[in-house]
Amino acid sequence: MYSVGSSRVFDPYVQVIQNANITQYIWTKSLLQPLWDYLRSQHQDALRSPLFPVVISVSTYFAVCTFYMILDLLAPRCPLIRRYKIHPEQHVTWEDIFKTLWHTGYNHLIYVFPAAVGQWYWRPPIPLQEEAPLVSEFLIGILGCTILFDFQYYFWHMMHHKVRWLYTTFHAIHHEYYAPFSWSTQYLSAWELVSVGFWTTIDPIILQCHCLTGFTFMVFNIWISVDDHSGYDFPWALHNLIPFGLWGGTVKHDVHHQKPQSHFAPFFSHWDWLCGTHCECKRSPAVLEMQTKRRKASEDQN
């Protein structure tokens, strides 16, 4: 499915890493081979099924959303959790959960599932390569798919805000919530849900990634998307770990729901910087406190 011919898009980049003598064994040996052998021998039929991408996407979405839902329900009675909410005064209710969950389930049942079943009639089973991807190929592939998806979604998202008909017809439903929460991630029109799912599926094919890389990117994409909508600003979140503000994360997407003409990018920050759609972000009380302490400590040292 994800490889075309004998050449790969990322071969030149993998070769550079291999020649850099950086942990040679990791970059030249397929550490993922035992895992891939197990999956091929024990779950080959499932992996080759056209329904498998839908199964892993839906199961990942429900698992990650459930985790954040538990935090949301505990937050009003647990100050330790509430301190990491960007809007600690906002509480997620069962009504919000049922409303968004029903809409998501409806879209999957009426649109996504029939489309997935329809693939049985026109799409052949996915061919599974015998060799697992190199760790370098695996990581670069996920990074490449993330960058490509970020580019696609930025301009698609911006267009749905700039063209009023697109906004009112398709995108307005997603902005019903001023402060997003996990289950609002796929509180979308069917058009948006199908579009995002199409790119997530097709990008690994465009970049000629290994099957394992493509499936992992799907899981990563959904996890990050839910995290962006979670409303939590944890110190260990990617936007607080990746330097120079390169990663958008929860705080920037939260601003997008208050200022819809800003922060269109789903993951990175560079397109918002280049196109002038970047603005300041609100942080959680806990992270603000940490930043204040660091600033004071730095001033005392100087």
Side-chain angles (χ1 to χ4, degrees):
M1 175 184 176
Y2 295 112
S3 65
V4 179
S6 59
S7 62
R8 294 180 183 275
V9 171
F10 298 114
D11 277 351
Y13 305 100
V14 174
Q15 191 64 41
V16 169
I17 294 175
Q18 291 174 344
N19 294 337
N21 294 322
I22 303 173
T23 318
Q24 194 72 9
Y25 180 81
I26 294 179
W27 295 113
T28 59
K29 304 296 182 180
S30 186
L31 298 182
L32 298 172
Q33 193 65 52
L35 171 63
W36 184 238
D37 288 340
Y38 168 76
L39 292 175
R40 286 179 62 246
S41 63
Q42 300 297 321
H43 305 284
Q44 181 170 185
D45 291 340
L47 291 173
R48 299 184 69 197
S49 168
L51 288 177
F52 185 69
V54 178
V55 171
I56 62 172
S57 298
V58 172
S59 58
T60 301
Y61 180 74
F62 275 79
V64 180
C65 283
T66 299
F67 168 74
Y68 282 113
M69 179 184 70
I70 294 172
L71 295 183
D72 287 333
L73 296 175
L74 292 175
R77 296 180 294 275
C78 183
L80 181 61
I81 297 176
R82 193 164 61 249
R83 292 178 66 246
Y84 291 103
K85 285 181 66 69
I86 299 174
H87 301 282
E89 73 285 355
Q90 297 283 340
H91 302 309
V92 179
T93 66
W94 281 109
E95 182 182 358
D96 297 326
I97 294 170
F98 287 137
K99 180 181 179 181
T100 52
L101 188 56
W102 184 91
H103 183 81
T104 301
Y106 176 85
N107 278 342
H108 278 81
L109 184 63
I110 301 300
Y111 299 103
V112 176
F113 184 71
V117 172
Q119 293 185 85
W120 286 99
Y121 295 97
W122 63 267
R123 180 179 175 184
I126 299 171
L128 301 179
Q129 304 95 317
E130 292 187 6
E131 293 186 359
L134 298 173
V135 174
S136 54
E137 180 186 358
F138 178 76
L139 296 177
I140 294 174
I142 293 176
L143 176 62
C145 289
T146 304
I147 292 173
L148 178 58
F149 182 92
D150 192 74
F151 163 77
Q152 294 164 329
Y153 190 85
Y154 177 86
F155 290 100
W156 178 92
H157 190 190
M158 182 170 63
M159 182 176 64
H160 279 69
H161 277 270
K162 301 298 184 182
V163 180
R164 183 157 188 80
W165 179 81
L166 291 175
Y167 181 83
T168 56
T169 306
F170 300 113
H171 193 56
I173 185 174
H174 187 65
H175 281 268
E176 284 186 18
Y177 290 97
Y178 177 83
F181 58 98
S182 60
W183 290 110
S184 67
T185 305
Q186 291 190 5
Y187 189 63
L188 308 166
S189 65
W191 158 250
E192 289 185 273
L193 184 63
V194 171
S195 298
V196 172
F198 174 76
W199 290 330
T200 306
T201 304
I202 203 70
D203 286 350
I205 299 176
I206 293 174
L207 298 181
Q208 303 173 28
C209 296
H210 191 280
C211 289
L212 187 59
T213 306
F215 294 145
T216 305
F217 168 66
M218 290 181 186
V219 173
F220 176 76
N221 191 318
I222 292 170
W223 164 51
I224 292 300
S225 297
V226 175
D227 183 70
D228 280 357
H229 291 82
S230 68
Y232 288 91
D233 180 22
F234 291 117
W236 53 84
L238 283 180
H239 62 270
N240 287 320
L241 298 178
I242 297 177
F244 311 118
L246 294 175
W247 193 261
T250 314
V251 292
K252 292 184 180 179
H253 192 75
D254 180 82
V255 170
H256 173 71
H257 277 256
Q258 285 94 58
K259 301 178 180 179
Q261 297 301 320
S262 66
H263 295 293
F264 297 122
F267 302 139
F268 294 100
S269 300
H270 59 280
W271 285 114
D272 284 307
W273 290 340
L274 292 172
C275 297
T277 53
H278 180 273
C279 67
E280 293 300 317
C281 305
K282 182 179 179 180
R283 307 306 299 266
S284 67
V287 170
L288 283 174
E289 183 180 338
M290 291 174 57
Q291 291 177 339
T292 301
K293 289 181 179 179
R294 290 174 183 171
R295 201 160 40 240
K296 288 183 178 178
S298 178
E299 290 174 355
D300 292 342
Q301 289 179 354
N302 295 333

